[in-house]
Amino acid sequence: MRRALSYLALLGYLVFLAFPLIWLLSTALKTPQEMASLDPAWLPRRPTLANFADAFAEQDLVGSALRSLVVATASAVITVVLALPAAYALARHRGAVNRIAIGWVLVSQVFPVILIIIPLFMVLRRFDLVNTLPGLTFVHVTFTLPFALWMLQGYVRAVPRELEEAAAVDGAAKATSIVKIVAPLLAPGVVATLLFAFISSWNEFLFALVVLKDPDIATLPLTLVKFTGAEGVVRLGPLAAASLLATIPSLVFFAAIQRRLKSGLMAGAVKG
Amino acid sequence: MTAAAGAYAPAPPRRPRRTPRRGGGREMFLLMLPALVPVLVFSVGPLLYGIFLAFTDARSGRNAETSFVGLANFGDLLTDGDFWTSFRIGMIWGISVTVLQFLASLGLALLLDRDLRLRGLARVLALVPWAMPPVVIGLMWRLVYHPNAGILNAVLRDAGLLGHNVDWLNDFAIALPAVIVVGVWTGMPQTTVVLLAGLQNVPRELYEAGQVDGAGTWRRFWNITLPQLRPVIVAITSLDFVWNINQFGLVYVLTQGGPGGRTRLPMLFAYEEAFRFGFFGYASTLGVAIVIVVLAVLGLYLWRQMREAN
């Protein structure tokens, strides 16, 4: 009896979690005629990929995906290049600076973005960077930096200090030991941070909305939202298709890290 | 986006305990320079400037003169009916989403902690919302809620629960609850993962001892699970509350704050003030006011939790 109730509850959760996803997928595969039907069906009667082709053709989806790709890649690389030396220093040198930096990461979570975006917008305007991709990249770097710093210094700490000390005893210079010993061990952490920064930028909406006024240089989230503006029922199919395509990078990222999420690293983070 | 920052990151590995060591100060300082300078110049600086703007009449015009006006903006804010409406909606949204997220996630985490079939599927499904861009989540739910082509109306009509199609996101009374449901759906993964991790850290011996003492399931949950989970619960609900109150993208995509401002969260209000009407100073004041409220609510909550824990 108790077991049956548990299964019933689990089933309820499965339905709640899955049904919007199924509906998105189903809408993406429906023909325009079927979309116009007054009695929507769960599954498409004659599944079609035409919506995907339409999505590419109609709105500047490819162009905005490319722009998102450029901005996300640039901001991920710049963020990590800026954060890595400081992360190393923070992890190896405990003290007031370290505590302040960690505190800053927490504080930056509490403050609403509106308090950051207005001053940044004014800075961008002064340097004529509003409406430019470098401007948006700059804003994304700014925004991702504190958290990337925190992530990276965690990864540096996991590299045993003894390894570096052993290298020093063997006569290796500081730089050598960092390049030859710390760097290879740190590679997975750097990749994770790069991915995190990439996904944050790829998904980001508010800053893009504020910085990019010109529709011709819109990034992917902006283009997707614009889709809904002229919303006839028939256009919902391409919209669903485009949304699915935009989700692929995040899905790949999560597939890559999901084992770590499950295996309790999260537990470690919470227990501190 | 603030929410996303915390949400997407895989947790860094736990640090080994180690005695702090000093020395190499100058070298360290040089290493930190390239990152501290950008953080200071582009993150700390703008934030302080943003707070400063709250005390000015800054406008969006390129050549607009800005002057210091002291607390005038705060005075305007207190007498601004639109602000209070938005503020009330924000609190309803923030608290109900956080509470519902917590309850739903706790239930799911308890189920996932047990040896049930379909558990693997549920775990994967529970992570998917986390992996979706907020804009896509908003669009997806618009398809679900769509008055004519949406599945929700179709299902409810077929079940005989509805006589006519409801326009969920445009109905004055229903829009906010409808948006809250999406908020819960979106935030469940993080909360579930954290609570599940917490559950798995509760020592099994405690349950065995409870069983020996003849405590039933309910009592074991109430007297063992909940107290053991407490620190985790406090941490995740606090974070959820901060993220929810600062939510922007999801609701902007769903309703743009409509109908008639019924879902205009404080951040949407601030965005409109700043980038539609150009009142940079006033929008900053709103931001500062929200920070004060969030800190007050969190402070009270954490203080009460700590007092009860002792």
PDB file of all heavy atoms in Angstrom, chain B residues 163-198:
ATOM      1  N   GLY B 163     -15.158  24.265 -19.556  1.00  0.00           N
ATOM      2  CA  GLY B 163     -16.148  24.343 -20.619  1.00  0.00           C
ATOM      3  C   GLY B 163     -15.624  25.108 -21.818  1.00  0.00           C
ATOM      4  O   GLY B 163     -15.989  24.867 -22.954  1.00  0.00           O
ATOM      5  N   HIS B 164     -14.721  26.062 -21.554  1.00  0.00           N
ATOM      6  CA  HIS B 164     -14.212  26.900 -22.638  1.00  0.00           C
ATOM      7  C   HIS B 164     -12.706  27.059 -22.444  1.00  0.00           C
ATOM      8  O   HIS B 164     -12.182  26.770 -21.372  1.00  0.00           O
ATOM      9  CB  HIS B 164     -14.888  28.256 -22.591  1.00  0.00           C
ATOM     10  CG  HIS B 164     -14.644  28.953 -21.281  1.00  0.00           C
ATOM     11  ND1 HIS B 164     -15.293  28.590 -20.118  1.00  0.00           N
ATOM     12  CD2 HIS B 164     -13.779  29.927 -20.946  1.00  0.00           C
ATOM     13  CE1 HIS B 164     -14.847  29.337 -19.116  1.00  0.00           C
ATOM     14  NE2 HIS B 164     -13.940  30.148 -19.595  1.00  0.00           N
ATOM     15  N   ASN B 165     -12.041  27.553 -23.474  1.00  0.00           N
ATOM     16  CA  ASN B 165     -10.598  27.738 -23.376  1.00  0.00           C
ATOM     17  C   ASN B 165     -10.241  28.910 -22.463  1.00  0.00           C
ATOM     18  O   ASN B 165     -10.835  29.979 -22.552  1.00  0.00           O
ATOM     19  CB  ASN B 165     -10.013  28.003 -24.758  1.00  0.00           C
ATOM     20  CG  ASN B 165      -9.877  26.716 -25.542  1.00  0.00           C
ATOM     21  OD1 ASN B 165      -9.864  25.626 -24.959  1.00  0.00           O
ATOM     22  ND2 ASN B 165      -9.805  26.832 -26.851  1.00  0.00           N
ATOM     23  N   VAL B 166      -9.286  28.691 -21.607  1.00  0.00           N
ATOM     24  CA  VAL B 166      -8.818  29.752 -20.716  1.00  0.00           C
ATOM     25  C   VAL B 166      -7.528  30.349 -21.302  1.00  0.00           C
ATOM     26  O   VAL B 166      -6.668  29.608 -21.778  1.00  0.00           O
ATOM     27  CB  VAL B 166      -8.523  29.185 -19.309  1.00  0.00           C
ATOM     28  CG1 VAL B 166      -7.888  30.243 -18.433  1.00  0.00           C
ATOM     29  CG2 VAL B 166      -9.788  28.643 -18.677  1.00  0.00           C
ATOM     30  N   ASP B 167      -7.419  31.671 -21.278  1.00  0.00           N
ATOM     31  CA  ASP B 167      -6.189  32.306 -21.726  1.00  0.00           C
ATOM     32  C   ASP B 167      -5.316  32.536 -20.490  1.00  0.00           C
ATOM     33  O   ASP B 167      -5.300  33.607 -19.899  1.00  0.00           O
ATOM     34  CB  ASP B 167      -6.506  33.629 -22.436  1.00  0.00           C
ATOM     35  CG  ASP B 167      -5.302  34.146 -23.214  1.00  0.00           C
ATOM     36  OD1 ASP B 167      -4.214  33.543 -23.065  1.00  0.00           O
ATOM     37  OD2 ASP B 167      -5.451  35.123 -23.948  1.00  0.00           O
ATOM     38  N   TRP B 168      -4.602  31.491 -20.112  1.00  0.00           N
ATOM     39  CA  TRP B 168      -3.933  31.432 -18.812  1.00  0.00           C
ATOM     40  C   TRP B 168      -3.066  32.655 -18.520  1.00  0.00           C
ATOM     41  O   TRP B 168      -3.097  33.189 -17.417  1.00  0.00           O
ATOM     42  CB  TRP B 168      -3.070  30.177 -18.724  1.00  0.00           C
ATOM     43  CG  TRP B 168      -3.870  28.930 -18.878  1.00  0.00           C
ATOM     44  CD1 TRP B 168      -4.111  28.257 -20.040  1.00  0.00           C
ATOM     45  CD2 TRP B 168      -4.588  28.238 -17.856  1.00  0.00           C
ATOM     46  NE1 TRP B 168      -4.921  27.180 -19.804  1.00  0.00           N
ATOM     47  CE2 TRP B 168      -5.225  27.131 -18.472  1.00  0.00           C
ATOM     48  CE3 TRP B 168      -4.747  28.437 -16.488  1.00  0.00           C
ATOM     49  CZ2 TRP B 168      -6.011  26.234 -17.756  1.00  0.00           C
ATOM     50  CZ3 TRP B 168      -5.519  27.535 -15.772  1.00  0.00           C
ATOM     51  CH2 TRP B 168      -6.145  26.457 -16.409  1.00  0.00           C
ATOM     52  N   LEU B 169      -2.276  33.064 -19.514  1.00  0.00           N
ATOM     53  CA  LEU B 169      -1.296  34.119 -19.240  1.00  0.00           C
ATOM     54  C   LEU B 169      -1.869  35.520 -19.438  1.00  0.00           C
ATOM     55  O   LEU B 169      -1.196  36.511 -19.213  1.00  0.00           O
ATOM     56  CB  LEU B 169      -0.064  33.928 -20.130  1.00  0.00           C
ATOM     57  CG  LEU B 169       0.719  32.643 -19.843  1.00  0.00           C
ATOM     58  CD1 LEU B 169       1.818  32.437 -20.860  1.00  0.00           C
ATOM     59  CD2 LEU B 169       1.314  32.688 -18.431  1.00  0.00           C
ATOM     60  N   ASN B 170      -3.142  35.598 -19.892  1.00  0.00           N
ATOM     61  CA  ASN B 170      -3.729  36.921 -20.089  1.00  0.00           C
ATOM     62  C   ASN B 170      -4.920  37.170 -19.194  1.00  0.00           C
ATOM     63  O   ASN B 170      -5.618  38.168 -19.329  1.00  0.00           O
ATOM     64  CB  ASN B 170      -4.142  37.102 -21.553  1.00  0.00           C
ATOM     65  CG  ASN B 170      -2.980  37.554 -22.391  1.00  0.00           C
ATOM     66  OD1 ASN B 170      -2.258  38.474 -22.011  1.00  0.00           O
ATOM     67  ND2 ASN B 170      -2.766  36.878 -23.502  1.00  0.00           N
ATOM     68  N   ASP B 171      -5.170  36.256 -18.291  1.00  0.00           N
ATOM     69  CA  ASP B 171      -6.300  36.416 -17.386  1.00  0.00           C
ATOM     70  C   ASP B 171      -5.815  37.112 -16.113  1.00  0.00           C
ATOM     71  O   ASP B 171      -4.815  36.702 -15.508  1.00  0.00           O
ATOM     72  CB  ASP B 171      -6.873  35.040 -17.052  1.00  0.00           C
ATOM     73  CG  ASP B 171      -8.134  35.130 -16.231  1.00  0.00           C
ATOM     74  OD1 ASP B 171      -8.056  35.580 -15.060  1.00  0.00           O
ATOM     75  OD2 ASP B 171      -9.184  34.747 -16.767  1.00  0.00           O
ATOM     76  N   PHE B 172      -6.515  38.173 -15.709  1.00  0.00           N
ATOM     77  CA  PHE B 172      -6.053  38.973 -14.567  1.00  0.00           C
ATOM     78  C   PHE B 172      -5.853  38.144 -13.304  1.00  0.00           C
ATOM     79  O   PHE B 172      -4.935  38.362 -12.548  1.00  0.00           O
ATOM     80  CB  PHE B 172      -7.057  40.104 -14.294  1.00  0.00           C
ATOM     81  CG  PHE B 172      -6.773  41.320 -15.098  1.00  0.00           C
ATOM     82  CD1 PHE B 172      -6.666  41.229 -16.484  1.00  0.00           C
ATOM     83  CD2 PHE B 172      -6.598  42.554 -14.499  1.00  0.00           C
ATOM     84  CE1 PHE B 172      -6.383  42.345 -17.239  1.00  0.00           C
ATOM     85  CE2 PHE B 172      -6.306  43.679 -15.252  1.00  0.00           C
ATOM     86  CZ  PHE B 172      -6.207  43.576 -16.623  1.00  0.00           C
ATOM     87  N   ALA B 173      -6.755  37.190 -13.073  1.00  0.00           N
ATOM     88  CA  ALA B 173      -6.677  36.432 -11.823  1.00  0.00           C
ATOM     89  C   ALA B 173      -5.723  35.246 -11.930  1.00  0.00           C
ATOM     90  O   ALA B 173      -5.119  34.842 -10.937  1.00  0.00           O
ATOM     91  CB  ALA B 173      -8.076  35.947 -11.441  1.00  0.00           C
ATOM     92  N   ILE B 174      -5.569  34.686 -13.110  1.00  0.00           N
ATOM     93  CA  ILE B 174      -4.851  33.411 -13.249  1.00  0.00           C
ATOM     94  C   ILE B 174      -3.393  33.594 -13.644  1.00  0.00           C
ATOM     95  O   ILE B 174      -2.566  32.729 -13.378  1.00  0.00           O
ATOM     96  CB  ILE B 174      -5.569  32.505 -14.281  1.00  0.00           C
ATOM     97  CG1 ILE B 174      -7.009  32.274 -13.835  1.00  0.00           C
ATOM     98  CG2 ILE B 174      -4.876  31.157 -14.420  1.00  0.00           C
ATOM     99  CD1 ILE B 174      -7.807  31.459 -14.807  1.00  0.00           C
ATOM    100  N   ALA B 175      -3.051  34.725 -14.252  1.00  0.00           N
ATOM    101  CA  ALA B 175      -1.703  34.886 -14.808  1.00  0.00           C
ATOM    102  C   ALA B 175      -0.615  34.656 -13.757  1.00  0.00           C
ATOM    103  O   ALA B 175       0.332  33.896 -13.995  1.00  0.00           O
ATOM    104  CB  ALA B 175      -1.562  36.274 -15.426  1.00  0.00           C
ATOM    105  N   LEU B 176      -0.754  35.279 -12.592  1.00  0.00           N
ATOM    106  CA  LEU B 176       0.305  35.140 -11.588  1.00  0.00           C
ATOM    107  C   LEU B 176       0.463  33.688 -11.105  1.00  0.00           C
ATOM    108  O   LEU B 176       1.578  33.172 -11.107  1.00  0.00           O
ATOM    109  CB  LEU B 176       0.063  36.104 -10.415  1.00  0.00           C
ATOM    110  CG  LEU B 176       1.179  36.139  -9.368  1.00  0.00           C
ATOM    111  CD1 LEU B 176       2.518  36.503  -9.990  1.00  0.00           C
ATOM    112  CD2 LEU B 176       0.850  37.127  -8.242  1.00  0.00           C
ATOM    113  N   PRO B 177      -0.645  33.013 -10.722  1.00  0.00           N
ATOM    114  CA  PRO B 177      -0.480  31.593 -10.366  1.00  0.00           C
ATOM    115  C   PRO B 177       0.126  30.773 -11.502  1.00  0.00           C
ATOM    116  O   PRO B 177       0.980  29.912 -11.259  1.00  0.00           O
ATOM    117  CB  PRO B 177      -1.917  31.134 -10.069  1.00  0.00           C
ATOM    118  CG  PRO B 177      -2.644  32.367  -9.695  1.00  0.00           C
ATOM    119  CD  PRO B 177      -2.005  33.497 -10.444  1.00  0.00           C
ATOM    120  N   ALA B 178      -0.273  31.051 -12.728  1.00  0.00           N
ATOM    121  CA  ALA B 178       0.253  30.291 -13.866  1.00  0.00           C
ATOM    122  C   ALA B 178       1.767  30.489 -13.974  1.00  0.00           C
ATOM    123  O   ALA B 178       2.517  29.549 -14.228  1.00  0.00           O
ATOM    124  CB  ALA B 178      -0.431  30.730 -15.156  1.00  0.00           C
ATOM    125  N   VAL B 179       2.198  31.728 -13.774  1.00  0.00           N
ATOM    126  CA  VAL B 179       3.625  32.024 -13.868  1.00  0.00           C
ATOM    127  C   VAL B 179       4.373  31.388 -12.688  1.00  0.00           C
ATOM    128  O   VAL B 179       5.500  30.909 -12.835  1.00  0.00           O
ATOM    129  CB  VAL B 179       3.820  33.559 -13.902  1.00  0.00           C
ATOM    130  CG1 VAL B 179       5.278  33.922 -13.728  1.00  0.00           C
ATOM    131  CG2 VAL B 179       3.316  34.128 -15.209  1.00  0.00           C
ATOM    132  N   ILE B 180       3.724  31.351 -11.534  1.00  0.00           N
ATOM    133  CA  ILE B 180       4.357  30.735 -10.357  1.00  0.00           C
ATOM    134  C   ILE B 180       4.617  29.249 -10.612  1.00  0.00           C
ATOM    135  O   ILE B 180       5.678  28.720 -10.250  1.00  0.00           O
ATOM    136  CB  ILE B 180       3.482  30.955  -9.097  1.00  0.00           C
ATOM    137  CG1 ILE B 180       3.583  32.418  -8.658  1.00  0.00           C
ATOM    138  CG2 ILE B 180       3.908  30.025  -7.962  1.00  0.00           C
ATOM    139  CD1 ILE B 180       2.668  32.800  -7.511  1.00  0.00           C
ATOM    140  N   VAL B 181       3.663  28.572 -11.264  1.00  0.00           N
ATOM    141  CA  VAL B 181       3.869  27.154 -11.576  1.00  0.00           C
ATOM    142  C   VAL B 181       5.137  26.978 -12.421  1.00  0.00           C
ATOM    143  O   VAL B 181       5.966  26.096 -12.167  1.00  0.00           O
ATOM    144  CB  VAL B 181       2.640  26.575 -12.326  1.00  0.00           C
ATOM    145  CG1 VAL B 181       2.945  25.195 -12.891  1.00  0.00           C
ATOM    146  CG2 VAL B 181       1.443  26.521 -11.394  1.00  0.00           C
ATOM    147  N   VAL B 182       5.317  27.867 -13.402  1.00  0.00           N
ATOM    148  CA  VAL B 182       6.515  27.773 -14.241  1.00  0.00           C
ATOM    149  C   VAL B 182       7.769  28.014 -13.395  1.00  0.00           C
ATOM    150  O   VAL B 182       8.786  27.333 -13.562  1.00  0.00           O
ATOM    151  CB  VAL B 182       6.455  28.785 -15.400  1.00  0.00           C
ATOM    152  CG1 VAL B 182       7.679  28.637 -16.295  1.00  0.00           C
ATOM    153  CG2 VAL B 182       5.192  28.595 -16.209  1.00  0.00           C
ATOM    154  N   GLY B 183       7.680  28.956 -12.477  1.00  0.00           N
ATOM    155  CA  GLY B 183       8.813  29.229 -11.598  1.00  0.00           C
ATOM    156  C   GLY B 183       9.195  27.999 -10.784  1.00  0.00           C
ATOM    157  O   GLY B 183      10.380  27.682 -10.633  1.00  0.00           O
ATOM    158  N   VAL B 184       8.189  27.302 -10.279  1.00  0.00           N
ATOM    159  CA  VAL B 184       8.451  26.088  -9.491  1.00  0.00           C
ATOM    160  C   VAL B 184       9.112  25.036 -10.376  1.00  0.00           C
ATOM    161  O   VAL B 184      10.117  24.425 -10.004  1.00  0.00           O
ATOM    162  CB  VAL B 184       7.142  25.547  -8.874  1.00  0.00           C
ATOM    163  CG1 VAL B 184       7.386  24.215  -8.201  1.00  0.00           C
ATOM    164  CG2 VAL B 184       6.580  26.552  -7.884  1.00  0.00           C
ATOM    165  N   TRP B 185       8.550  24.838 -11.556  1.00  0.00           N
ATOM    166  CA  TRP B 185       9.089  23.837 -12.491  1.00  0.00           C
ATOM    167  C   TRP B 185      10.569  24.140 -12.778  1.00  0.00           C
ATOM    168  O   TRP B 185      11.411  23.256 -12.772  1.00  0.00           O
ATOM    169  CB  TRP B 185       8.276  23.871 -13.784  1.00  0.00           C
ATOM    170  CG  TRP B 185       8.553  22.753 -14.739  1.00  0.00           C
ATOM    171  CD1 TRP B 185       7.926  21.535 -14.767  1.00  0.00           C
ATOM    172  CD2 TRP B 185       9.504  22.721 -15.800  1.00  0.00           C
ATOM    173  NE1 TRP B 185       8.437  20.772 -15.793  1.00  0.00           N
ATOM    174  CE2 TRP B 185       9.404  21.465 -16.438  1.00  0.00           C
ATOM    175  CE3 TRP B 185      10.445  23.642 -16.295  1.00  0.00           C
ATOM    176  CZ2 TRP B 185      10.189  21.100 -17.530  1.00  0.00           C
ATOM    177  CZ3 TRP B 185      11.241  23.284 -17.374  1.00  0.00           C
ATOM    178  CH2 TRP B 185      11.111  22.024 -17.979  1.00  0.00           C
ATOM    179  N   THR B 186      10.852  25.409 -13.010  1.00  0.00           N
ATOM    180  CA  THR B 186      12.203  25.808 -13.393  1.00  0.00           C
ATOM    181  C   THR B 186      13.215  25.588 -12.275  1.00  0.00           C
ATOM    182  O   THR B 186      14.347  25.187 -12.514  1.00  0.00           O
ATOM    183  CB  THR B 186      12.209  27.310 -13.767  1.00  0.00           C
ATOM    184  OG1 THR B 186      11.174  27.541 -14.709  1.00  0.00           O
ATOM    185  CG2 THR B 186      13.542  27.724 -14.346  1.00  0.00           C
ATOM    186  N   GLY B 187      12.802  25.868 -11.043  1.00  0.00           N
ATOM    187  CA  GLY B 187      13.765  25.853  -9.956  1.00  0.00           C
ATOM    188  C   GLY B 187      13.870  24.532  -9.210  1.00  0.00           C
ATOM    189  O   GLY B 187      14.705  24.388  -8.327  1.00  0.00           O
ATOM    190  N   MET B 188      13.027  23.570  -9.574  1.00  0.00           N
ATOM    191  CA  MET B 188      13.058  22.302  -8.842  1.00  0.00           C
ATOM    192  C   MET B 188      14.386  21.545  -8.911  1.00  0.00           C
ATOM    193  O   MET B 188      14.801  20.967  -7.911  1.00  0.00           O
ATOM    194  CB  MET B 188      11.904  21.397  -9.287  1.00  0.00           C
ATOM    195  CG  MET B 188      10.690  21.481  -8.381  1.00  0.00           C
ATOM    196  SD  MET B 188       9.370  20.405  -8.928  1.00  0.00           S
ATOM    197  CE  MET B 188      10.063  18.792  -8.609  1.00  0.00           C
ATOM    198  N   PRO B 189      15.053  21.528 -10.070  1.00  0.00           N
ATOM    199  CA  PRO B 189      16.262  20.689 -10.143  1.00  0.00           C
ATOM    200  C   PRO B 189      17.315  21.024  -9.089  1.00  0.00           C
ATOM    201  O   PRO B 189      17.718  20.143  -8.326  1.00  0.00           O
ATOM    202  CB  PRO B 189      16.799  20.976 -11.545  1.00  0.00           C
ATOM    203  CG  PRO B 189      15.641  21.434 -12.320  1.00  0.00           C
ATOM    204  CD  PRO B 189      14.748  22.144 -11.357  1.00  0.00           C
ATOM    205  N   GLN B 190      17.714  22.311  -9.015  1.00  0.00           N
ATOM    206  CA  GLN B 190      18.766  22.656  -8.067  1.00  0.00           C
ATOM    207  C   GLN B 190      18.371  22.239  -6.662  1.00  0.00           C
ATOM    208  O   GLN B 190      19.133  21.630  -5.926  1.00  0.00           O
ATOM    209  CB  GLN B 190      19.026  24.170  -8.042  1.00  0.00           C
ATOM    210  CG  GLN B 190      19.593  24.749  -9.284  1.00  0.00           C
ATOM    211  CD  GLN B 190      18.503  25.267 -10.190  1.00  0.00           C
ATOM    212  OE1 GLN B 190      17.539  24.558 -10.477  1.00  0.00           O
ATOM    213  NE2 GLN B 190      18.629  26.497 -10.648  1.00  0.00           N
ATOM    214  N   THR B 191      17.136  22.588  -6.291  1.00  0.00           N
ATOM    215  CA  THR B 191      16.685  22.321  -4.934  1.00  0.00           C
ATOM    216  C   THR B 191      16.648  20.818  -4.666  1.00  0.00           C
ATOM    217  O   THR B 191      17.076  20.354  -3.607  1.00  0.00           O
ATOM    218  CB  THR B 191      15.293  22.948  -4.735  1.00  0.00           C
ATOM    219  OG1 THR B 191      15.305  24.257  -5.311  1.00  0.00           O
ATOM    220  CG2 THR B 191      14.936  23.058  -3.288  1.00  0.00           C
ATOM    221  N   THR B 192      16.158  20.052  -5.643  1.00  0.00           N
ATOM    222  CA  THR B 192      16.081  18.609  -5.453  1.00  0.00           C
ATOM    223  C   THR B 192      17.470  17.994  -5.296  1.00  0.00           C
ATOM    224  O   THR B 192      17.699  17.169  -4.407  1.00  0.00           O
ATOM    225  CB  THR B 192      15.357  17.953  -6.651  1.00  0.00           C
ATOM    226  OG1 THR B 192      14.104  18.582  -6.839  1.00  0.00           O
ATOM    227  CG2 THR B 192      15.164  16.470  -6.408  1.00  0.00           C
ATOM    228  N   VAL B 193      18.401  18.407  -6.170  1.00  0.00           N
ATOM    229  CA  VAL B 193      19.745  17.828  -6.122  1.00  0.00           C
ATOM    230  C   VAL B 193      20.388  18.115  -4.764  1.00  0.00           C
ATOM    231  O   VAL B 193      20.976  17.231  -4.129  1.00  0.00           O
ATOM    232  CB  VAL B 193      20.616  18.395  -7.267  1.00  0.00           C
ATOM    233  CG1 VAL B 193      22.081  18.052  -7.045  1.00  0.00           C
ATOM    234  CG2 VAL B 193      20.143  17.835  -8.595  1.00  0.00           C
ATOM    235  N   VAL B 194      20.233  19.339  -4.306  1.00  0.00           N
ATOM    236  CA  VAL B 194      20.856  19.701  -3.031  1.00  0.00           C
ATOM    237  C   VAL B 194      20.210  18.942  -1.873  1.00  0.00           C
ATOM    238  O   VAL B 194      20.907  18.409  -1.001  1.00  0.00           O
ATOM    239  CB  VAL B 194      20.755  21.235  -2.806  1.00  0.00           C
ATOM    240  CG1 VAL B 194      21.156  21.592  -1.400  1.00  0.00           C
ATOM    241  CG2 VAL B 194      21.626  21.961  -3.818  1.00  0.00           C
ATOM    242  N   LEU B 195      18.877  18.855  -1.867  1.00  0.00           N
ATOM    243  CA  LEU B 195      18.197  18.145  -0.772  1.00  0.00           C
ATOM    244  C   LEU B 195      18.520  16.657  -0.802  1.00  0.00           C
ATOM    245  O   LEU B 195      18.706  16.030   0.246  1.00  0.00           O
ATOM    246  CB  LEU B 195      16.681  18.358  -0.869  1.00  0.00           C
ATOM    247  CG  LEU B 195      16.183  19.755  -0.504  1.00  0.00           C
ATOM    248  CD1 LEU B 195      14.691  19.875  -0.770  1.00  0.00           C
ATOM    249  CD2 LEU B 195      16.493  20.077   0.949  1.00  0.00           C
ATOM    250  N   LEU B 196      18.601  16.105  -2.021  1.00  0.00           N
ATOM    251  CA  LEU B 196      18.917  14.675  -2.132  1.00  0.00           C
ATOM    252  C   LEU B 196      20.313  14.402  -1.577  1.00  0.00           C
ATOM    253  O   LEU B 196      20.526  13.434  -0.833  1.00  0.00           O
ATOM    254  CB  LEU B 196      18.818  14.244  -3.601  1.00  0.00           C
ATOM    255  CG  LEU B 196      19.034  12.767  -3.896  1.00  0.00           C
ATOM    256  CD1 LEU B 196      18.024  11.920  -3.145  1.00  0.00           C
ATOM    257  CD2 LEU B 196      18.930  12.498  -5.391  1.00  0.00           C
ATOM    258  N   ALA B 197      21.242  15.264  -1.932  1.00  0.00           N
ATOM    259  CA  ALA B 197      22.599  15.112  -1.402  1.00  0.00           C
ATOM    260  C   ALA B 197      22.565  15.178   0.126  1.00  0.00           C
ATOM    261  O   ALA B 197      23.233  14.410   0.812  1.00  0.00           O
ATOM    262  CB  ALA B 197      23.505  16.199  -1.963  1.00  0.00           C
ATOM    263  N   GLY B 198      21.758  16.104   0.649  1.00  0.00           N
ATOM    264  CA  GLY B 198      21.634  16.228   2.098  1.00  0.00           C
ATOM    265  C   GLY B 198      21.058  14.962   2.719  1.00  0.00           C
ATOM    266  O   GLY B 198      21.550  14.476   3.734  1.00  0.00           O
TER     267      GLY B 198
END
